[in-house]
Amino acid sequence: MKIAACIKWVALRPDIDPLSGSVETDDRFSGVSAADQAAVEWALRMGEAWGASVTVATVGASIAESALRDALACGATTAIRIDIEHPLPSAAVGRELAAALADADLIVCGDWSLDRGSGSVPPFLAHARGAEQACGLVALSLDATGVVRAERRLDGGRRERLIVRAPAVLAVEGSTARLRRAPLGGVLSSARSSIDVRTPSTPNPAEPVRLVHARPFRPRTKIVDGPHGSVRDRSNALLGMGSTRTPPQRLVLDPEVAAEHILAALHAWGEIDDPASAEGQ
Amino acid sequence: MPDFEVVVVGAGPAGSIAALSLARLGHSVCLLERGPFPGSKNVYGGVIYGRILDELIPHWWEHAPVQRWITRRGTMLLTDHQSLCIDYRSTAWAQAPYNGATAYRPDFDKWLADEAVKAGATLVSSTTATGLVRTNRGLVGGVKTDREGDLMANVVIACDGVNSFLAKEAGLYPNFSKDHLTLGVKEVLALPRQEIEARFGIRSGTNEGADLEIVGGTQGIAGGGFVYTNLDTISIGAVLSLGGLSASKVRPEEVIAGLKAHPSLAPLVDGAELKEYSAHLIPEGGFDAMPEVVGDGLLVAGDAAGLCLAAGLWLEGVNYAIGSGKCAADAVHEAIAKGNFSKAGLVSYKDRLEATFVLRNHRKTRKAAHLLLSDRLQNRYPQIACDLLEQLYTVEDPLPKRGALTIGRALWKGSGLRIRHALRDGRDALKIYG
Ligand SMILES: Cc1cc2nc3c(=O)[nH]c(=O)nc-3n(C[C@H](O)[C@H](O)[C@H](O)COP(=O)(O)OP(=O)(O)OC[C@H]3O[C@@H](n4cnc5c(N)ncnc54)[C@H](O)[C@@H]3O)c2cc1C
């Protein structure tokens, strides 16, 4: 079994000029996103649980090697960097990663990168590999070798429970795991480890979108309804004057009675159904 | 088997130079830094005096990340509404090899650490040394870190800055007292480059800069202030005695706000945008407050050894850190050659410090802290000097002009100061600056 994690080197604290919109980045304040770190952690956990090797890969310039070394220090087996100077479109990144990780059974990515990422690399990668994909994962647990039980975020606060089997590409959110702290020995040996640097198979893929003329984004004027009522009424409404409200109460009660009071108050405010009828059901 | 011959803790100027020198001498050396990169955690006012780098990094000025070269140096006395400034300018300082330079520490320290790495040192960042590891012979033989696993070495050089936990753990700070420390606070304020040049009277379009050191203006708290120019920011701050600060119940940022509002400084910083606020301790105790700097398997350098020169005219720490880092490296080189890492084997460090500007200057200025933080130097003399000039420059026709001596005598009398105190201060000042 072979596991892989994909990470992207991004500016973590870009400086954006409020007037021109130009972005300045500083390598000292760059690294990988929390989601990508979580991806590496999950790959390492899978490697440990299933006795699998873990490869960590990135498409990026040489500066990104420091993130690969961090992953090696944490326990990844090998690291691959596909050497590019200029950013590639997501589809091309997906293809490059698919080619570099052709023998990986499960590939874990961060859900989306911080630099205006659209979260499209994992699906492109899955497509290029002909593998299943599970994106937007908010919880994972490892099952039998090559099987992951995952929970995925859906619209409207809903969740979908999935059983994902290798070969597959998983995209995890940053909250799912925190990357472990590398041991000192790992840090020292990773500084000496070699990184497999590869040239991209299609160095200059045709841009899917051709930018002809760029203008600053100017949203249309929003029409806002004018104020209603007299100035006095409006300031009264703002200050809550003249409105009736229940004054706050301070009660000292036993926990059980306190809980009943809280439920009754929530019901009275319309926040929950009648607790008594809920109990009956 | 140790991991390295030497572990240097702290990639500030002291640590990076110690690591660079040892790596150049062919030793395996690890430079440990708690911040994500060297300089990320470091605070200082802003001026670096680089002469000590001439030998270590030839033509350093062509590579160092400098903001401005100081060509204007002012010493300013402030009272509530007055100021008196000795303003010195020199175009000679605008040319190589230069005198002082402003630089941002995240840039400067990273550059210096990169030089050490280029020389062969191994930099391990985001890793804090949490304690010392002792060998079974009782010598320091490495450090514990906040990562799993210890870092073992023949010698540890503690360059972990002021209030060094490693030196304390080794028992080298027996007389540690808060009275030996001051608090440095600083704001970095952004202004357009041309505006800075116009306000500070700097030749426009050049990277020349100004350095103002201030006595007074610190709301009665013993200390001083400073204003330095960077390319498109100004650093303004204060150095405050810890005892005075806590007794005054004034918050440090209020002291900076007071400086910014002073009529002599307000026009310099007016309308500038606050970019950064920082605070850091400074070991200002001087020669007499220095800790032990040599232990069994351990040397202490830079601020950790209390080697920051704060003597009124001078607030210099980076050059002393570099100087002591170099001395530590040479002493360790000698100890490695002899194979003796005990205190006796490392003791040449102290002699090396004594032989260079590092301890010579500290010895010469040993009374500076006491003199400079006294009420007379902080408040009384500046007040008399400003009042003297105010009365001398005020035209009071039809009254006849009074001479400086007459005014001075009257002011002295009114101040309640004693001649013998003034004489003693004069003698001390002569010893320090004479
Ligand atoms: C407000 C202010 C103004 C100043 N102005 C000037 C000035 O204008 N000119 C001047 O020359 N000097 C100035 N100084 C003094 C100067 O900053 C110091 O003297 C100098 O930085 C000392 O260098 P150092 O290498 O000894 O220590 P530091 O620069 O403090 O470096 C110590 C390093 O050790 C690291 N470290 C600490 N503990 C650990 C640990 N346990 N494990 C790993 N790493 C650790 C820190 O992160 C840091 O990188 C000023 C200081 C202050 C506070």
Side-chain angles (χ1 to χ4, degrees):
Chain A
M1 165 100 346
K2 287 188 169 143
I3 310 293
C6 302
I7 58 178
K8 183 180 183 187
W9 182 263
V10 287
L12 298 175
R13 280 160 55 184
D15 214 354
I16 301 163
D17 187 314
L19 285 183
S20 66
S22 69
V23 182
E24 266 187 38
T25 60
D26 185 334
D27 282 340
R28 291 171 305 182
F29 304 112
S30 300
V32 299
S33 65
D36 283 5
Q37 290 187 31
V40 175
E41 177 59 33
W42 278 113
L44 293 172
R45 287 184 195 174
M46 289 171 193
E48 283 159 2
W50 302 330
S53 67
V54 176
T55 300
V56 54
T58 190
V59 177
S62 58
I63 181 74
E65 286 187 7
S66 81
L68 293 178
R69 287 191 195 286
D70 287 347
L72 288 171
C74 288
T77 333
T78 47
I80 301 174
R81 178 172 70 85
I82 297 133
D83 185 29
I84 55 154
E85 263 177 41
H86 305 293
L88 293 180
S90 300
V93 174
R95 275 197 305 275
E96 292 300 337
L97 288 171
L101 303 173
D103 59 351
D105 300 293
L106 266 175
I107 304 177
V108 196
C109 305
D111 201 21
W112 60 72
S113 60
L114 281 183
D115 50 350
R116 297 179 69 190
S118 57
S120 53
V121 167
F124 276 125
L125 168 57
H127 173 72
R129 282 285 317 268
E132 284 185 12
Q133 54 164 301
C135 300
L137 301 185
V138 290
L140 290 89
S141 62
L142 308 185
D143 212 314
T145 304
V147 182
V148 176
R149 287 175 182 274
E151 228 174 75
R152 154 153 81 175
R153 186 192 291 283
L154 294 181
D155 288 350
R158 292 190 180 82
R159 297 276 187 272
E160 183 182 23
R161 292 214 175 110
L162 306 167
I163 296 177
V164 189
R165 289 193 171 77
V169 174
L170 309 173
V172 299
E173 291 199 357
S175 58
T176 53
R178 180 184 280 253
L179 181 58
R180 66 194 64 186
R181 188 145 172 80
L184 197 61
V187 175
L188 293 176
S189 64
S190 74
R192 293 185 290 267
S193 306
S194 66
I195 286 174
D196 178 2
V197 181
R198 302 190 183 173
T199 43
S201 47
T202 43
N204 294 311
E207 284 284 341
V209 178
R210 204 158 57 89
L211 201 61
V212 183
H213 178 56
R215 273 183 307 162
F217 174 61
R218 292 217 174 80
R220 283 172 188 270
T221 326
K222 252 193 207 157
I223 297 168
V224 180
D225 211 6
H228 297 284
S230 71
V231 173
R232 189 152 168 268
D233 290 347
R234 278 184 280 133
S235 32
N236 280 349
L238 273 177
L239 299 170
M241 281 165 65
S243 62
T244 47
R245 70 181 184 106
T246 342
Q249 311 171 38
R250 186 166 177 277
L251 303 171
V252 180
L253 301 167
D254 290 336
E256 243 173 65
V257 189
E260 273 167 23
H261 264 269
I262 292 170
L263 289 174
L266 288 173
H267 172 57
W269 297 334
E271 300 287 345
I272 57 169
D273 296 337
D274 183 2
S277 67
E279 216 168 74
Q281 283 166 17
Chain B
M1 176 71 184
D3 299 298
F4 292 89
E5 286 177 286
V6 189
V7 166
V8 179
V9 178
S16 288
I17 287 298
L20 174 132
S21 309
L22 281 161
R24 281 199 190 147
L25 290 165
H27 299 297
S28 70
V29 48
C30 177
L31 181 57
L32 203 65
E33 170 54 44
R34 66 181 168 179
F37 61 87
S40 56
K41 299 242 170 207
N42 293 353
V43 176
Y44 86 134
V47 182
I48 289 167
Y49 298 94
R51 201 64 324 105
I52 181 68
L53 282 176
D54 289 356
E55 250 181 55
L56 292 162
I57 306 174
H59 295 270
W60 57 272
W61 53 84
E62 287 166 12
H63 317 288
V66 160
Q67 289 284 311
R68 286 181 185 272
W69 298 104
I70 297 298
T71 54
R72 180 182 171 197
R73 176 85 207 244
T75 302
M76 209 178 210
L77 306 183
L78 289 190
T79 71
D80 286 350
H81 66 287
Q82 302 154 302
S83 70
L84 162 61
C85 187
I86 301 166
D87 190 357
Y88 177 76
R89 292 167 190 241
S90 170
T91 48
W93 288 347
Q95 287 146 24
Y98 305 98
N99 181 38
T102 52
Y104 294 133
R105 287 293 294 278
D107 299 344
F108 184 82
D109 287 12
K110 181 166 187 311
W111 168 74
L112 218 50
D114 285 347
E115 291 291 315
V117 171
K118 267 194 240 159
T122 302
L123 172 68
V124 174
S125 47
S126 299
T127 307
T128 305
T130 52
L132 296 168
V133 181
R134 298 266 178 189
T135 63
N136 40 20
R137 287 174 47 226
L139 266 66
V140 171
V143 289
K144 294 178 201 143
T145 70
D146 61 345
R147 293 184 188 270
E148 191 189 309
D150 298 336
L151 194 55
M152 304 305 289
N154 293 325
V155 183
V156 172
I157 309 182
C159 300
D160 48 341
V162 61
N163 203 10
S164 159
F165 288 110
L166 296 184
K168 271 191 192 163
E169 187 184 326
L172 302 183
Y173 273 16
N175 304 319
F176 182 76
S177 151
K178 72 169 176 22
D179 298 335
H180 301 152
L181 300 174
T182 52
L183 181 73
V185 287
K186 180 180 96 160
E187 281 184 6
V188 177
L189 308 170
L191 271 179
R193 192 179 164 159
Q194 299 85 336
E195 192 62 34
I196 292 181
E197 285 157 2
R199 291 187 189 189
F200 285 82
I202 297 166
R203 287 194 292 178
S204 76
T206 66
N207 57 354
E208 294 176 17
D211 159 356
L212 297 180
E213 304 289 341
I214 300 163
V215 179
T218 46
Q219 314 206 1
I221 304 163
F226 56 81
V227 182
Y228 304 129
T229 54
N230 302 309
L231 267 185
D232 50 12
T233 61
I234 297 170
S235 300
I236 181 164
V239 175
L240 307 165
S241 98
L242 277 187
L245 183 65
S246 61
S248 71
K249 304 271 180 265
V250 175
R251 294 190 54 83
E253 62 271 25
E254 289 168 3
V255 177
I256 301 190
L259 281 173
K260 290 196 296 186
H262 191 280
S264 301
L265 300 177
L268 299 177
V269 297
D270 189 28
E273 184 199 342
L274 176 65
K275 294 294 261 189
E276 189 184 299
Y277 173 81
S278 51
H280 202 275
L281 292 174
I282 306 178
E284 275 210 30
F287 187 82
D288 296 323
M290 261 183 71
E292 273 293 316
V293 292
V294 185
D296 284 319
L298 178 74
L299 293 182
V300 188
D303 270 13
L307 291 169
C308 182
L309 189 85
L313 291 182
W314 307 299
L315 175 53
E316 298 170 25
V318 173
N319 43 340
Y320 288 85
I322 292 174
S324 58
K326 171 79 173 89
C327 290
D330 291 341
V332 169
H333 177 57
E334 195 183 309
I336 292 175
K338 287 194 272 181
N340 183 355
F341 308 114
S342 69
K343 196 170 174 177
L346 291 166
V347 81
S348 80
Y349 173 47
K350 198 123 194 240
D351 304 332
R352 288 169 197 277
L353 290 177
E354 292 274 7
T356 60
F357 73 104
V358 177
L359 272 193
R360 283 193 179 181
N361 290 349
H362 272 89
R363 191 184 286 280
K364 188 167 158 56
T365 57
R366 67 197 299 171
K367 290 224 156 49
H370 183 70
L371 176 70
L372 290 163
L373 299 182
S374 72
D375 175 50
R376 291 188 296 283
L377 251 287
Q378 288 281 313
N379 304 307
R380 310 288 211 93
Y381 299 152
Q383 187 66 60
I384 292 177
C386 287
D387 287 349
L388 176 79
L389 285 180
E390 184 160 320
Q391 294 187 28
L392 208 55
Y393 292 150
T394 307
V395 178
E396 290 185 303
D397 302 342
L399 293 176
K401 285 201 187 300
R402 289 186 299 158
L405 274 182
T406 320
I407 301 171
R409 219 176 287 132
L411 287 172
W412 186 261
K413 252 194 182 159
S415 73
L417 288 169
R418 299 272 168 86
I419 288 285
R420 75 186 144 89
H421 287 144
L423 286 176
R424 203 189 310 142
D425 292 343
R427 184 201 58 196
D428 287 348
L430 260 181
K431 270 195 193 155
I432 299 165
Y433 305 110

